[in-house]
Amino acid sequence: MKTSKYLTSISLAFCGIVFANMSASAQTAWVAPASANNLKNPGTCDAATVKDAKAIYTSTCAPCHGAKGRGDGPAAAALNPKPADHSSKAIQQESDGSLFWKLSEGRGAMQAYKGQLTDKQRWGLICYIRTLKK
Ligand code: HEC
């Protein structure tokens, strides 16, 4: 029957739109759980901590996030979503705990660093990210 064929194509198109939207939102909103949001850096952001973190950042993070954290490292062009711009207002407004959780757990091309860097090194990187503020 003509009508049912028409309805089928409409509902298929609708499903396509819903799925496209679902995957788009999975790409954009990356929200740390409230428990992580409230975590406080147990260390201090002193000069030695920032210096060590800068060395890790330059060798490990800059290929994607860029030398100044702008999200424009040499590997960034091939990535979607793009590496975060750590100097941006959006990132600088996030809590230390949220950034620490994302750095630890990873998502997609952004790998989970909790197995590779110690807690102290990861908190140090959060100190360093704060120095990248525009
Ligand atoms: C292979 C490329 C790559 C490397 C290397 C990398 N990142 Fe990322 N990073 C990404 C991408 C891509 C995203 C965005 C992920 C998303 O939104 O799904 C991201 C997101 C983040 C975020 C979350 C930003 C936010 O709040 O949305 C933080 C924090 C972060 N990276 C820190 C680091 C640090 C620190 C290092 C080095 C230890 C590092 N990244 C290394 C690609 C990378």
Side-chain angles (χ1 to χ4, degrees), residues 60-61 64-65 81 83-84 86 91 94 102-103 107 110 113:
T60 311
C61 319
C64 291
H65 289 281
H86 290 153
I91 297 297
E94 266 186 65
K102 290 178 180 181
L103 170 58
R107 182 172 89 158
M110 171 65 199
Y113 281 95

Side-chain angles (χ1 to χ4, degrees), residues 90-110:
I91 297 297
Q92 292 294 331
Q93 276 176 347
E94 266 186 65
S95 70
D96 283 358
S98 169
L99 295 172
F100 179 79
W101 181 85
K102 290 178 180 181
L103 170 58
S104 304
E105 302 300 323
R107 182 172 89 158
M110 171 65 199

Side-chain angles (χ1 to χ4, degrees), residues 26-32 53 56-65 75-76 79-86 88 90-92 94-96 98-104 106-111 113 116-117 121-122 124-126 128-129:
Q27 295 281 298
T28 49
W30 186 16
V31 182
I56 298 174
Y57 194 94
T58 304
S59 63
T60 311
C61 319
C64 291
H65 289 281
L79 297 174
N80 183 21
K82 295 291 170 212
D85 176 351
H86 290 153
S88 69
I91 297 297
Q92 292 294 331
E94 266 186 65
S95 70
D96 283 358
S98 169
L99 295 172
F100 179 79
W101 181 85
K102 290 178 180 181
L103 170 58
S104 304
R107 182 172 89 158
M110 171 65 199
Q111 57 178 298
Y113 281 95
Q116 305 190 34
L117 299 169
Q121 287 173 319
R122 280 177 284 127
L125 283 162
I126 305 309
Y128 182 67
I129 287 174

Side-chain angles (χ1 to χ4, degrees), residues 19-41:
F19 279 115
N21 281 341
M22 275 168 63
S23 55
S25 63
Q27 295 281 298
T28 49
W30 186 16
V31 182
S35 56
N37 243 329
N38 298 330
L39 284 177
K40 295 273 176 288
N41 188 341

